[in-house]
Amino acid sequence: MTTPPDNSADNIVELRDATMTQQWDITTRTYRCYENGTLLEERPFTDAENADVTAAITQQTRDTNEATLLTQARNAYATNTTYLAAVNAGTATTATHIAQVPALTRQMQGIIRLIVGADFLDGTN
């Protein structure tokens, strides 16, 4: 008799009923099926299972990058508010204006990624 491995790690998705346990090990891309603790089947993921996992991982990356870009946008808003206050006060220098152009371009790249979404969220650079 084989006992199903501990699935406490986030890399194992498990479906159970009274006698059967099915596991999809994301790390090794291996499917296992147990009945009453006995291993009945172990195989590599099918093409469809691999596609599902890849899509889920891609979406998780995109969600994380979206959150990062939103944080960067909030920080950029604060920085731009400070810059505009210096402009309005007449204390902004030529160097400040010159530095603001590439900073705004980088910030807009992040905003464009957020607006367009999809594969644009595969990175945050």
Side-chain angles (χ1 to χ4, degrees):
M1 175 146 94
T2 306
T3 304
D6 176 22
N7 70 339
S8 59
D10 289 336
N11 64 344
I12 296 179
V13 176
E14 188 171 276
L15 180 63
R16 289 179 179 243
D17 65 19
T19 60
M20 187 165 290
T21 302
Q22 296 180 76
Q23 293 182 334
W24 291 265
D25 187 327
I26 306 305
T27 303
T28 63
R29 305 273 176 125
T30 303
Y31 169 82
R32 294 179 191 91
C33 181
Y34 299 86
E35 186 170 0
N36 294 320
T38 301
L39 181 64
L40 296 178
E41 179 182 8
E42 181 175 65
R43 61 167 172 74
F45 278 8
T46 64
D47 289 344
E49 289 166 333
N50 273 316
D52 287 346
V53 169
T54 299
I57 290 170
T58 298
Q59 188 57 51
Q60 185 177 33
T61 299
R62 290 175 180 176
D63 291 346
T64 299
N65 289 343
E66 181 178 24
T68 299
L69 289 168
L70 284 169
T71 299
Q72 290 173 353
R74 288 182 179 278
N75 293 337
Y77 182 82
T79 301
N80 291 338
T81 299
T82 301
Y83 168 74
L84 290 174
V87 169
N88 291 336
T91 58
T93 65
T94 300
T96 305
H97 296 306
I98 291 171
Q100 188 67 11
V101 172
L104 281 172
T105 302
R106 280 191 299 278
Q107 294 163 5
M108 283 310 302
Q109 288 293 90
I111 297 301
I112 291 166
R113 285 179 184 275
L114 284 170
I115 291 169
V116 174
D119 61 322
F120 275 58
L121 292 173
D122 288 348
T124 58
N125 56 349

